[in-house]
Structures are given as structure tokens and as C-alpha cells.
Amino acid sequence: MKTTPTTFQSAFEEDVYKGLNSFPKYLLSKYIYDEKGDKIFQQIMAMPEYYLTNCELNILESHKAAIAEIINKEGGFDLIELGAGDGKKTKVLLKELVDKEYDFNYLPIDISQNVLEELKSSLKNEIPEVNVKIQQGTYFKTLENLTDYTNRRKVILVLGSNIGNLLHENAIEFLRNIQEAMTAEDMLFMGFDQKKDPQKILDAYNDAAGITEAFNKNLLTRINKELDADFNLDNFIHWEAYDPESGTAKSYLVSKANQKVAINKLDLEVSFDAWESIHTEISQKYDDAVVEWLAEEAGLEIQTSFQDKNDYYKNYIFRKKI
Ligand code: AVJ
């Protein structure tokens, strides 16, 4: 085996190198989201099987007045959204806040500049009253600087059950970082996909049309493109598993055969045994007890929550525990 290169040109290079030299092999799901990955995720959100988006949209639509009431209070505020995406769900809330003539700025943060530009221009057309300032960056980086670019009361939004990509210990660290950026008046509004019929969950991550498969395989496409590799996508299958005990849905790419893949930019050849796996993503499902525990560990407490009629999905409002 080769020795580890001492210098990598990017975190992507280093993470791919580490993941594919580990046993068992893994790749980090955040790298799915390049321009193509963003597009496939839009398609996922529009699939009938992917119930999460509609559930959260319904919650926001049916409870927008109550939510707006809670987040307004006296004085203005900054609405800071982590992982804003296309803002489809957020716009429901933004419209309500604008209609109520609340004094607020909208500060969406996303890892994709592309997605942010589109969000900004669509807002200009759809809800021109919103005062919006976009910020590109990763969650962890921007959280560190949060207090630099706002001095008003903060309402922090994290929709889409995005926290579900994190193992509990990382989710706690993420919540703890948010908690540290909060004052007693600030609020955190966050979506958590709930435990439910395991089949319903499996179907959401294993659609018949193969959109989730393409999303998962975009990791390989991206490595091929950016690191001059020769993954043959047809030599891997998309595999989804859901453990109802832990509430963890796990995605894998499984090698159909003995094969070698060259990743030229890393000066690396990766060998796969037949049926060897690459773990690519977790999508954690929650219940109240787990959310309470995560909050407690991070120094937060649940103020209230909103759910859809089937109890598939829940949005919680957290405050800093004083
Ligand atoms: C964006 C992390 C919420 O885990 O449900 C969708 C990503 N992966 N289908 C999720 C995803 C496969 C999604 N999150």
C-alpha cells in the first residue's frame, strides 16, 4: 500500500483518501452536493416517496400564524437559516412575516453559492419586501462568525431534518455550537423527521425510479470528475437499510464484483472485493425522548413543537437553557 501523501489540495481530496483507505470504506455525504447533486436533491424533494418535504411544508402552512406569533415578540430580529436550499418551505414563513409587517432581515446560509443566488433572485420576484443577505459557507464555519454579522435578536432556522445526516455525538456538537451563539431571547426552530413505519422510511430512500440511487452515486461521479478517477457506476448498487431500534437509515454503495478503481489525482488505486460496501450517508429518525436528550446535552430546552397529522415529522422550537 502507498504511504499517505503529506499534502492534499483540498478537504475533499483528503476525506476521499481517508474514507476509501478505511475499513470498512466510507465517503462523507456532504460531498454529494455539487451542482449536479443539488439538482438531484431537488428531484428527491419532488418524489412521492420522499414525504419529508411535504410534511414540513404542511406544518409550516397550517401553523404559520402561531409560529410567527412566537418568533416575533417585541423589537426586530434576524432570521438566520442554516442550509437554506431552494427556500421553498421558508417562503411560507417569510410571506407570513411580511404580511404581518414584522421587522426582520433574512440571512440564508448555504454551502452552495449557486443555490443562494437562485434563492435571492426568486425572492426578489416572489416576496420583494424581504430584506435578504446571503452568506456562503459550511454550518460550523458560519456559526463561529454568527455574532459578527448580527446584533439583533436571532431566530435560527434549520429545516428539512438536515441534522439527520449527523451521528448523535456530532448532532450534539452542532446544537451546542448554535446554543453558544444564542442569547436568552434567541430561538432555534428545527425540523426532525420522526420514527415511523420502517417501510415508509425505506421507500423514501429507495425510490423505484432510481433518483436516490443517482444521488448516492453522485459521490462517485464527482470523484471521477474532480479527482480523475474511473469508477464504473454500473458496477455498484445503491443499498438502503433502516434499523428501527436506533432509528438510523443508512445508505451504501455496494461493489458488485472484484474490481480496482484508479483515482489518479490521489495517486491511488482502490481495490474492492465483490459485495464490499462504501457507507455514504445516515438519515437519522427521532422521537421526543431522543430530541429532548440531544437538547439537554447541548444546553437547550424545548419550548414547543408542531407536527403533521400523521406524526411523521416534527418542528421544535428550542431556547437556551439558563
Ligand atoms: C437533506 C439530509 C435531510 O437525509 O433525508 C435524501 C438527504 N438523502 N435522500 C435526508 C437525502 C437521500 C436528506 N437530508
Side-chain angles (χ1 to χ4, degrees):
M1 208 183 90
K2 301 234 173 196
T3 50
T4 308
T6 44
T7 54
F8 291 101
Q9 274 164 40
S10 64
F12 179 55
E13 287 191 2
E14 182 166 3
D15 290 337
V16 168
Y17 188 96
K18 278 193 187 150
L20 294 180
N21 280 308
S22 293
F23 184 81
K25 293 179 171 67
Y26 69 89
L27 290 167
L28 300 179
S29 61
K30 65 178 177 187
Y31 293 120
I32 299 173
Y33 301 90
D34 61 359
E35 216 175 309
K36 184 159 178 237
D38 288 344
K39 288 221 176 75
I40 306 175
F41 186 59
Q42 301 280 343
Q43 294 178 301
I44 286 178
M45 288 193 291
M47 312 187 310
E49 295 94 339
Y50 197 70
Y51 59 85
L52 289 80
T53 311
N54 271 331
C55 285
E56 195 167 46
L57 197 57
N58 287 341
I59 291 171
L60 289 167
E61 267 159 2
S62 34
H63 299 285
K64 59 189 176 189
I67 296 165
E69 192 83 353
I70 294 171
I71 67 181
N72 186 40
K73 302 272 177 59
E74 68 291 333
F77 61 94
D78 283 336
L79 186 66
I80 299 159
E81 180 166 21
L82 306 182
D86 68 354
K88 186 180 171 201
K89 291 163 288 183
T90 318
K91 283 172 187 169
V92 174
L93 193 57
L94 292 174
K95 185 79 179 53
E96 179 72 15
L97 298 173
V98 161
D99 288 349
K100 292 209 159 143
E101 298 182 353
Y102 288 166
D103 171 22
F104 74 103
N105 300 310
Y106 176 48
L107 311 174
I109 297 167
D110 202 281
I111 193 160
S112 161
Q113 181 71 25
N114 194 40
V115 149
L116 286 168
E117 303 284 354
E118 274 175 35
L119 175 58
K120 192 175 172 177
S121 69
S122 74
L123 274 173
K124 216 170 172 180
N125 289 322
E126 295 165 35
I127 325 177
E129 299 88 346
V130 177
N131 186 2
V132 43
K133 198 175 127 202
I134 61 176
Q135 173 97 6
Q136 191 274 332
T138 62
Y139 287 0
F140 285 89
K141 273 263 156 53
T142 36
L143 276 173
E144 284 170 20
N145 310 325
L146 210 58
T147 34
D148 295 348
Y149 68 94
T150 166
N151 42 26
R152 308 171 92 188
R153 192 165 62 82
K154 295 185 282 300
V155 177
I156 301 167
L157 278 186
V158 189
L159 302 182
S161 202
N162 285 344
I163 192 171
N165 276 166
L166 303 177
L167 293 168
H168 287 323
E169 61 174 291
N170 299 327
I172 289 166
E173 192 193 341
F174 175 50
L175 290 169
R176 171 65 73 178
N177 286 338
I178 295 176
Q179 190 262 13
E180 281 165 4
M182 286 168 77
T183 69
E185 290 74 45
D186 295 343
M187 284 173 195
L188 170 63
F189 183 90
M190 204 162 186
F192 290 76
D193 193 22
Q194 302 287 300
K195 288 182 179 170
K196 61 183 65 61
D197 182 342
Q199 192 61 54
K200 179 98 188 152
I201 294 170
L202 266 185
D203 292 348
Y205 295 92
N206 198 15
D207 61 292
I211 297 169
T212 310
E213 175 186 353
F215 180 72
N216 197 7
K217 286 187 176 178
N218 193 48
L219 280 166
L220 306 185
T221 306
R222 189 170 175 186
I223 295 171
N224 280 349
K225 200 163 47 189
E226 293 183 26
L227 304 181
D228 185 20
D230 62 0
F231 276 103
N232 178 347
L233 271 54
D234 295 333
N235 288 346
F236 291 85
I237 58 167
H238 165 71
W239 190 259
E240 192 67 27
Y242 176 66
D243 175 358
E245 184 178 53
S246 64
T248 312
K250 287 175 116 182
S251 304
Y252 299 91
L253 291 166
V254 181
S255 173
K256 283 158 68 174
N258 250 303
Q259 55 180 319
K260 289 191 193 317
V261 175
I263 305 180
N264 294 312
K265 198 142 182 246
L266 298 180
D267 200 9
L268 176 70
E269 187 178 68
V270 185
S271 298
F272 290 89
D273 290 334
W275 309 116
E276 185 177 352
S277 60
I278 311 173
H279 171 47
T280 53
E281 187 180 36
I282 73 159
S283 298
Q284 182 64 37
K285 307 305 162 198
Y286 302 89
D287 54 34
D288 281 344
V290 172
V291 175
E292 272 161 32
W293 169 69
L294 294 171
E296 173 76 32
E297 292 292 306
L300 292 164
E301 59 192 1
I302 299 168
Q303 179 178 350
T304 187
S305 65
F306 302 91
Q307 63 216 301
D308 64 299
K309 62 175 189 307
N310 295 314
D311 268 346
Y312 283 169
Y313 195 95
K314 235 164 161 172
N315 288 86
Y316 298 77
I317 294 182
F318 301 94
R319 303 292 292 264
K320 189 174 180 126
K321 211 167 173 177
I322 305 296

